[in-house]
Amino acid sequence: GVTKPIVVSTWDFGVAANKAAWDILKAGGSALDAVEAGARVPEADLANMTVGKGGYPDRDGHVTLDACIMDDKGNCGSVAALENIAHPISVARMVMEKTPHVMLVGEGALQFAIENGFKQETLLTPEGEKAWKDWLKEKKYEPVINIENKSFTAEKLPGNQYNHDTIGILALDIAGNLSGACTTSGMAFKMRGRVGDSPIIGAGLYVDNEVGGATATGVGEEVIRTVGSFLVVELMRQGRSPQEACREAVERLIKKKPDTAKNIQVGFLALNKNGEYGAFSLQKGFSYAVCDEQKQDLLLPGASVY
Ligand code: SD4
């Protein structure tokens, strides 16, 4: 039969991203074009401090970006620790389409981006610089749970300055094909050179066009350890619903590191081949956005363990 297109993405910010993706899907465009367009929205948003331009820097003051993209044919592309380029997701797509490789990092990724016409710009905003300088006073690396979700962090953090998001986005197009994208500036004040789960195929994102796609957000180290997104897709292959699969991946993570799990956030979001979706997170406060013909930009809370 005819597939009903749908797009899902992580955090409140997914609403705006989904809108851009939906414009492509409803016109009969590909899921790949849709997820790229969606991911570019938070990347370009200066108020968003965990993605793209305006992202918080590492502990040495450098904004370094991670992103990956995967299509329905198993093609994938990724960049990690990329500096001075505002749209890492589009560089990742170019790595996928124009190179024999899957992943480029650091200087090499930058060189490739420049060769392909991307403009270099300063990504550290005055707000990002101020937050970094405040952080330098104590230098405590303590990832804030739900830093991406304004409504859950507003009481804890002054001035609403933590309004932002790392985006994972999954789409099913009218032809029944799945693609996904994931883009982030990583954990704020990370060590220089640190790479999280978001650009790692299988960890931050995985798509298998026979089964479904999954993406992760939160503390990437724990997601890498459990190859989270691949796990979610494999669980769906074995018959789990998207939410059940996400729940089991969260439980796996707790089993591996019970003490760590209590004090961090990790969330998974999944979309299967039939257009069914679901999410699950360690802590309350994870949100995701869904957009299809019926419900445009509806925001649903994910279930959580704690
Ligand atoms: C990372 N998973 O770099 C990313 C951060 C994130 O919402 O998802 N923040 O570990």
Side-chain angles (χ1 to χ4, degrees):
V2 176
T3 306
K4 295 223 169 76
I6 181 167
V7 54
V8 297
S9 59
T10 56
W11 302 108
D12 302 18
F13 212 86
V15 172
N18 284 358
K19 225 173 244 170
W22 180 252
D23 284 344
I24 290 172
L25 291 175
K26 78 161 182 252
S30 72
L32 181 64
D33 286 342
V35 294
E36 183 191 7
R40 286 176 63 96
V41 172
E43 279 184 346
D45 185 349
L46 287 178
N48 183 319
M49 286 147 195
T50 57
V51 184
K53 199 165 174 171
Y56 276 3
D58 65 17
R59 65 194 333 167
D60 299 334
H62 309 275
V63 177
T64 67
L65 306 180
D66 298 338
C68 74
I69 193 160
M70 189 161 189
D71 75 7
D72 54 294
K73 296 178 190 72
N75 299 314
C76 41
S78 160
V79 290
L82 177 62
E83 294 180 42
N84 299 319
I85 301 288
H87 287 295
I89 198 64
S90 296
V91 184
R93 182 169 176 177
M94 241 176 225
V95 171
M96 172 172 94
E97 291 178 341
K98 293 196 170 176
T99 80
H101 307 305
V102 164
M103 191 163 191
L104 293 178
V105 305
E107 250 178 68
L110 177 61
Q111 185 187 324
F112 173 76
I114 293 166
E115 280 166 11
N116 282 282
F118 288 85
K119 284 219 172 56
Q120 289 197 75
E121 49 188 303
T122 302
L123 301 180
L124 187 63
T125 55
E127 294 76 21
E129 189 171 2
K130 185 182 177 301
W132 170 57
K133 289 194 167 142
D134 286 348
W135 178 83
L136 282 176
K137 290 174 198 152
E138 289 200 23
K139 294 190 183 172
K140 237 167 70 192
Y141 179 69
E142 213 168 56
V144 178
I145 290 175
N146 299 324
I147 189 170
E148 302 86 349
N149 187 337
K150 189 168 82 177
S151 52
F152 271 78
T153 47
E155 325 98 69
K156 279 179 238 148
L157 300 162
N160 267 357
Q161 57 169 326
Y162 287 83
N163 174 22
H164 36 72
D165 174 334
T166 289
I167 193 150
I169 180 166
L170 305 163
L172 180 67
D173 63 28
I174 211 161
N177 290 322
L178 289 157
S179 289
C182 187
T183 182
T184 188
S185 53
M187 304 306 290
F189 319 129
K190 60 195 176 185
M191 284 176 73
R192 180 131 181 88
R194 179 268 188 189
V195 172
D197 61 318
S198 303
I200 312 282
I201 297 295
L205 176 76
Y206 197 71
V207 175
D208 185 322
N209 206 42
E210 284 183 5
V211 176
T215 188
T217 181
V219 176
E221 281 74 7
E222 304 315 306
V223 178
I224 293 173
R225 211 187 300 290
T226 50
V227 199
S229 291
F230 183 73
L231 176 61
V232 171
V233 170
E234 289 308 297
L235 290 166
M236 290 195 291
R237 190 194 305 280
Q238 291 164 29
R240 310 294 197 286
S241 72
Q243 183 173 322
E244 284 165 358
C246 291
R247 186 192 177 109
E248 227 172 291
V250 166
E251 282 166 355
R252 181 79 58 91
L253 200 142
I254 295 170
K255 202 173 159 196
K256 278 251 147 75
K257 297 273 170 201
D259 295 335
T260 306
K262 275 179 216 142
N263 301 309
I264 61 159
Q265 177 64 300
V266 168
F268 291 105
L269 173 63
L271 173 67
N272 73 14
K273 190 75 182 161
N274 303 324
E276 297 155 342
Y277 53 86
F280 215 88
S281 59
L282 270 171
Q283 317 289 338
K284 288 195 192 72
F286 177 43
S287 58
Y288 66 100
V290 180
C291 181
D292 65 13
E293 221 166 30
Q294 271 89 44
K295 24 182 196 320
Q296 309 224 354
D297 309 322
L298 178 66
L299 190 72
L300 298 172
S304 48
V305 173
Y306 295 116

